[in-house]
Amino acid sequence: FKRLAVFNARFAPDGKTIVFSAATEGTIPNLYVIRPEYPEPQALGQQGTHLLSVSPQGELAVLIKPFNVYHRVFTGTLARMPLGGGAPRALKDSVREADWAPDGQSLAIVVVVNGKCRLEYPVGTVRYESNGYVSDPRVSPDGRRVAFVEHSAVGDDRGAIAVVDTADNRVKIVTDAFPSVQGTTWSTNGGEILFSAGGSLSHRAVHAVTLAGTVRVVVAGPGGLTVLDRFTDGTALVSRDDQPNRLMVHHQGASADSDASWLDASYDP
């Protein structure tokens, strides 16, 4: 019902309630919840909180004091908070992303150490270090693997899907690089990884890839699609993203900018 920049979203344990973080203006996210009986988003917790993951027990992993780095990636202090609200409990600084393991106790996190982007699972155990950056870590349904996006260049969302096996720390790149990759989740049985990717001239669509590297398109539509979560019954949570270009004008002596946009893609005159 409102124009929002949706940065992340997850199913609550009931599979119907949705928790998400979004901003109406700028890049400071706030937490919201949508329930089936009342579809208007309702604010949750304190302002300036970014959602990372929801555990099977209904506990949230969030970032407090989040700062937007690029795209949907933030950095801040990792904290835990109950779904019903309450003060977050801080855990670790300089964290970018996190995902709960199926047991709801341990976390896979992306953290920046000495300028390097690391994937840790559980916290403190380094599984991968990138020369670019890592995004969208997701723990497999059996807790044995972590899927993520390996971006070769800092700030560029061009990337490929990778999987690390905790049994031997072996990292396998299972797709070629796409011009844009944002959003991952596992299929119910852990046999595929769903991800959102697009070409240089096309919007992102939802794809799936097996651990052997077989890629298929799941769904494409008007506007970009970003897959954000998957419930145990197989239902996927997807955002449809419009990214308009606005043309703003500031007249000499005016107190505010004026919007001179035409349709949804106005570029420099």
Side-chain angles (χ1 to χ4, degrees), residues 46-80:
Q46 64 189 37
Q47 291 188 331
T49 306
H50 175 53
L51 176 70
L52 298 178
S53 184
V54 180
S55 78
Q57 293 76 32
E59 188 173 20
L60 309 185
V62 300
L63 289 184
I64 53 179
K65 298 181 180 178
F67 174 79
N68 184 245
V69 183
Y70 27 67
H71 305 295
R72 294 168 45 250
V73 178
F74 289 79
T75 187
T77 299
L78 175 65
R80 302 168 68 153

Short mmCIF file of all heavy atoms in Angstrom, two decimals, residues 46-80:
data_model
loop_
_atom_site.label_atom_id
_atom_site.label_comp_id
_atom_site.label_asym_id
_atom_site.label_seq_id
_atom_site.Cartn_x
_atom_site.Cartn_y
_atom_site.Cartn_z
N GLN A 46 12.44 -1.18 17.73
CA GLN A 46 12.95 0.18 17.64
C GLN A 46 13.30 0.55 16.21
O GLN A 46 13.57 -0.32 15.38
CB GLN A 46 14.17 0.35 18.55
CG GLN A 46 15.36 -0.51 18.13
CD GLN A 46 16.47 -0.49 19.16
OE1 GLN A 46 16.21 -0.46 20.37
NE2 GLN A 46 17.71 -0.50 18.71
N GLN A 47 13.31 1.84 15.91
CA GLN A 47 13.65 2.30 14.58
C GLN A 47 15.14 2.07 14.30
O GLN A 47 15.95 1.96 15.20
CB GLN A 47 13.31 3.78 14.43
CG GLN A 47 11.82 4.08 14.44
CD GLN A 47 11.52 5.52 14.10
OE1 GLN A 47 12.32 6.41 14.35
NE2 GLN A 47 10.36 5.75 13.50
N GLY A 48 15.48 2.01 13.00
CA GLY A 48 16.87 1.79 12.62
C GLY A 48 17.33 0.39 12.91
O GLY A 48 18.42 0.17 13.44
N THR A 49 16.48 -0.60 12.56
CA THR A 49 16.82 -2.02 12.76
C THR A 49 16.62 -2.75 11.45
O THR A 49 15.59 -2.59 10.80
CB THR A 49 15.95 -2.65 13.86
OG1 THR A 49 16.06 -1.88 15.06
CG2 THR A 49 16.40 -4.07 14.15
N HIS A 50 17.58 -3.58 11.08
CA HIS A 50 17.54 -4.30 9.79
C HIS A 50 17.43 -5.79 10.04
O HIS A 50 18.20 -6.37 10.81
CB HIS A 50 18.81 -3.99 9.00
CG HIS A 50 18.94 -4.77 7.72
ND1 HIS A 50 17.96 -4.80 6.77
CD2 HIS A 50 19.96 -5.55 7.26
CE1 HIS A 50 18.36 -5.56 5.75
NE2 HIS A 50 19.56 -6.03 6.03
N LEU A 51 16.46 -6.43 9.40
CA LEU A 51 16.25 -7.87 9.55
C LEU A 51 17.28 -8.68 8.78
O LEU A 51 17.59 -8.38 7.63
CB LEU A 51 14.85 -8.25 9.03
CG LEU A 51 14.54 -9.75 9.05
CD1 LEU A 51 14.38 -10.25 10.46
CD2 LEU A 51 13.29 -10.04 8.22
N LEU A 52 17.80 -9.71 9.43
CA LEU A 52 18.70 -10.66 8.77
C LEU A 52 18.05 -12.03 8.62
O LEU A 52 18.07 -12.62 7.55
CB LEU A 52 20.02 -10.77 9.54
CG LEU A 52 20.85 -9.50 9.66
CD1 LEU A 52 22.10 -9.75 10.50
CD2 LEU A 52 21.23 -8.95 8.29
N SER A 53 17.48 -12.57 9.70
CA SER A 53 16.95 -13.93 9.64
C SER A 53 15.96 -14.14 10.78
O SER A 53 16.01 -13.44 11.80
CB SER A 53 18.09 -14.94 9.74
OG SER A 53 17.64 -16.27 9.60
N VAL A 54 15.06 -15.13 10.61
CA VAL A 54 14.11 -15.54 11.64
C VAL A 54 14.33 -17.02 11.92
O VAL A 54 14.33 -17.83 11.00
CB VAL A 54 12.65 -15.29 11.20
CG1 VAL A 54 11.69 -15.72 12.30
CG2 VAL A 54 12.43 -13.82 10.86
N SER A 55 14.52 -17.38 13.19
CA SER A 55 14.78 -18.77 13.56
C SER A 55 13.48 -19.56 13.58
O SER A 55 12.39 -18.99 13.65
CB SER A 55 15.45 -18.84 14.94
OG SER A 55 14.49 -18.65 15.96
N PRO A 56 13.56 -20.90 13.56
CA PRO A 56 12.34 -21.73 13.67
C PRO A 56 11.58 -21.48 14.96
O PRO A 56 10.39 -21.78 15.04
CB PRO A 56 12.89 -23.16 13.61
CG PRO A 56 14.18 -23.04 12.87
CD PRO A 56 14.76 -21.72 13.30
N GLN A 57 12.26 -20.96 15.99
CA GLN A 57 11.61 -20.68 17.26
C GLN A 57 11.05 -19.25 17.32
O GLN A 57 10.48 -18.85 18.33
CB GLN A 57 12.59 -20.87 18.42
CG GLN A 57 13.03 -22.32 18.63
CD GLN A 57 14.04 -22.80 17.60
OE1 GLN A 57 14.85 -22.02 17.10
NE2 GLN A 57 13.99 -24.08 17.27
N GLY A 58 11.24 -18.48 16.24
CA GLY A 58 10.68 -17.14 16.20
C GLY A 58 11.59 -16.06 16.73
O GLY A 58 11.13 -14.96 17.03
N GLU A 59 12.89 -16.34 16.84
CA GLU A 59 13.83 -15.31 17.27
C GLU A 59 14.43 -14.63 16.06
O GLU A 59 14.77 -15.29 15.05
CB GLU A 59 14.93 -15.93 18.13
CG GLU A 59 15.84 -14.89 18.78
CD GLU A 59 16.82 -15.49 19.76
OE1 GLU A 59 17.07 -16.71 19.68
OE2 GLU A 59 17.35 -14.74 20.59
N LEU A 60 14.59 -13.32 16.12
CA LEU A 60 15.12 -12.56 15.01
C LEU A 60 16.61 -12.33 15.18
O LEU A 60 17.09 -12.07 16.28
CB LEU A 60 14.44 -11.19 14.91
CG LEU A 60 12.91 -11.13 14.90
CD1 LEU A 60 12.46 -9.69 14.68
CD2 LEU A 60 12.32 -12.04 13.86
N ALA A 61 17.35 -12.46 14.07
CA ALA A 61 18.72 -11.96 13.99
C ALA A 61 18.63 -10.65 13.23
O ALA A 61 18.10 -10.61 12.11
CB ALA A 61 19.62 -12.95 13.27
N VAL A 62 19.13 -9.57 13.82
CA VAL A 62 18.98 -8.25 13.24
C VAL A 62 20.31 -7.50 13.32
O VAL A 62 21.23 -7.91 14.02
CB VAL A 62 17.90 -7.42 13.96
CG1 VAL A 62 16.55 -8.11 13.88
CG2 VAL A 62 18.28 -7.18 15.43
N LEU A 63 20.37 -6.41 12.56
CA LEU A 63 21.46 -5.44 12.71
C LEU A 63 20.90 -4.20 13.37
O LEU A 63 19.86 -3.67 12.94
CB LEU A 63 22.07 -5.06 11.35
CG LEU A 63 22.91 -6.08 10.60
CD1 LEU A 63 23.48 -5.45 9.33
CD2 LEU A 63 24.03 -6.64 11.46
N ILE A 64 21.58 -3.73 14.41
CA ILE A 64 21.23 -2.45 15.00
C ILE A 64 22.28 -1.42 14.57
O ILE A 64 23.42 -1.77 14.31
CB ILE A 64 21.11 -2.53 16.53
CG1 ILE A 64 22.35 -3.14 17.17
CG2 ILE A 64 19.87 -3.34 16.91
CD1 ILE A 64 22.29 -3.21 18.69
N LYS A 65 21.83 -0.19 14.44
CA LYS A 65 22.65 0.89 13.88
C LYS A 65 23.19 0.50 12.50
O LYS A 65 24.38 0.58 12.24
CB LYS A 65 23.79 1.25 14.82
CG LYS A 65 23.33 1.77 16.17
CD LYS A 65 24.51 2.13 17.07
CE LYS A 65 24.03 2.64 18.42
NZ LYS A 65 25.17 2.95 19.33
N PRO A 66 22.29 0.05 11.60
CA PRO A 66 22.75 -0.40 10.27
C PRO A 66 23.16 0.75 9.38
O PRO A 66 22.55 1.82 9.40
CB PRO A 66 21.52 -1.12 9.71
CG PRO A 66 20.36 -0.40 10.34
CD PRO A 66 20.82 -0.01 11.73
N PHE A 67 24.19 0.52 8.59
CA PHE A 67 24.67 1.48 7.60
C PHE A 67 24.68 0.79 6.25
O PHE A 67 25.25 -0.29 6.09
CB PHE A 67 26.07 1.97 7.96
CG PHE A 67 26.68 2.87 6.91
CD1 PHE A 67 26.32 4.20 6.83
CD2 PHE A 67 27.60 2.38 5.99
CE1 PHE A 67 26.87 5.03 5.86
CE2 PHE A 67 28.17 3.19 5.02
CZ PHE A 67 27.79 4.53 4.96
N ASN A 68 24.02 1.40 5.26
CA ASN A 68 23.96 0.80 3.93
C ASN A 68 25.31 0.88 3.24
O ASN A 68 25.89 1.95 3.09
CB ASN A 68 22.89 1.50 3.08
CG ASN A 68 22.71 0.86 1.73
OD1 ASN A 68 22.98 1.46 0.71
ND2 ASN A 68 22.25 -0.38 1.71
N VAL A 69 25.83 -0.28 2.82
CA VAL A 69 27.12 -0.34 2.15
C VAL A 69 26.93 -0.21 0.64
O VAL A 69 27.50 0.66 -0.01
CB VAL A 69 27.85 -1.66 2.48
CG1 VAL A 69 29.22 -1.70 1.84
CG2 VAL A 69 27.99 -1.83 3.99
N TYR A 70 26.11 -1.09 0.08
CA TYR A 70 25.70 -1.03 -1.32
C TYR A 70 24.60 -2.06 -1.54
O TYR A 70 24.49 -3.04 -0.81
CB TYR A 70 26.84 -1.29 -2.32
CG TYR A 70 27.97 -2.15 -1.82
CD1 TYR A 70 27.78 -3.49 -1.52
CD2 TYR A 70 29.24 -1.62 -1.64
CE1 TYR A 70 28.82 -4.27 -1.06
CE2 TYR A 70 30.29 -2.40 -1.17
CZ TYR A 70 30.07 -3.72 -0.88
OH TYR A 70 31.10 -4.50 -0.41
N HIS A 71 23.75 -1.79 -2.54
CA HIS A 71 22.64 -2.68 -2.87
C HIS A 71 21.82 -2.99 -1.61
O HIS A 71 21.42 -2.09 -0.90
CB HIS A 71 23.16 -3.95 -3.55
CG HIS A 71 24.00 -3.67 -4.75
ND1 HIS A 71 23.50 -3.08 -5.89
CD2 HIS A 71 25.33 -3.86 -4.97
CE1 HIS A 71 24.47 -2.94 -6.78
NE2 HIS A 71 25.59 -3.39 -6.25
N ARG A 72 21.60 -4.26 -1.30
CA ARG A 72 20.84 -4.66 -0.11
C ARG A 72 21.76 -5.01 1.06
O ARG A 72 21.31 -5.62 2.03
CB ARG A 72 19.95 -5.85 -0.45
CG ARG A 72 18.84 -5.55 -1.46
CD ARG A 72 18.16 -6.81 -1.98
NE ARG A 72 17.85 -7.75 -0.93
CZ ARG A 72 18.47 -8.93 -0.76
NH1 ARG A 72 19.46 -9.29 -1.57
NH2 ARG A 72 18.13 -9.73 0.20
N VAL A 73 23.02 -4.66 0.98
CA VAL A 73 24.01 -5.03 1.99
C VAL A 73 24.20 -3.89 3.00
O VAL A 73 24.42 -2.75 2.61
CB VAL A 73 25.37 -5.37 1.34
CG1 VAL A 73 26.40 -5.72 2.40
CG2 VAL A 73 25.20 -6.54 0.36
N PHE A 74 24.10 -4.24 4.27
CA PHE A 74 24.31 -3.29 5.36
C PHE A 74 25.44 -3.80 6.24
O PHE A 74 25.84 -4.96 6.18
CB PHE A 74 23.04 -3.16 6.21
CG PHE A 74 21.92 -2.44 5.53
CD1 PHE A 74 21.13 -3.10 4.59
CD2 PHE A 74 21.64 -1.12 5.81
CE1 PHE A 74 20.08 -2.45 3.95
CE2 PHE A 74 20.59 -0.46 5.18
CZ PHE A 74 19.83 -1.12 4.25
N THR A 75 25.94 -2.93 7.10
CA THR A 75 26.86 -3.35 8.15
C THR A 75 26.38 -2.71 9.45
O THR A 75 25.81 -1.62 9.46
CB THR A 75 28.31 -2.94 7.84
OG1 THR A 75 29.19 -3.51 8.82
CG2 THR A 75 28.48 -1.44 7.84
N GLY A 76 26.60 -3.43 10.56
CA GLY A 76 26.15 -2.93 11.85
C GLY A 76 26.47 -3.93 12.94
O GLY A 76 27.32 -4.81 12.77
N THR A 77 25.78 -3.82 14.05
CA THR A 77 25.98 -4.73 15.18
C THR A 77 24.94 -5.83 15.14
O THR A 77 23.73 -5.55 15.15
CB THR A 77 25.88 -3.96 16.51
OG1 THR A 77 26.90 -2.96 16.55
CG2 THR A 77 26.05 -4.89 17.69
N LEU A 78 25.40 -7.07 15.08
CA LEU A 78 24.50 -8.22 15.09
C LEU A 78 23.85 -8.35 16.46
O LEU A 78 24.52 -8.23 17.49
CB LEU A 78 25.28 -9.50 14.76
CG LEU A 78 24.51 -10.82 14.85
CD1 LEU A 78 23.41 -10.88 13.81
CD2 LEU A 78 25.47 -12.01 14.71
N ALA A 79 22.54 -8.58 16.47
CA ALA A 79 21.81 -8.70 17.73
C ALA A 79 20.70 -9.73 17.58
O ALA A 79 20.28 -10.06 16.46
CB ALA A 79 21.24 -7.35 18.16
N ARG A 80 20.22 -10.23 18.71
CA ARG A 80 19.08 -11.14 18.75
C ARG A 80 17.92 -10.42 19.42
O ARG A 80 18.12 -9.67 20.37
CB ARG A 80 19.42 -12.40 19.55
CG ARG A 80 20.60 -13.17 19.02
CD ARG A 80 21.08 -14.22 20.01
NE ARG A 80 20.11 -15.31 20.17
CZ ARG A 80 20.46 -16.56 20.52
NH1 ARG A 80 21.72 -16.87 20.75
NH2 ARG A 80 19.53 -17.49 20.64
#
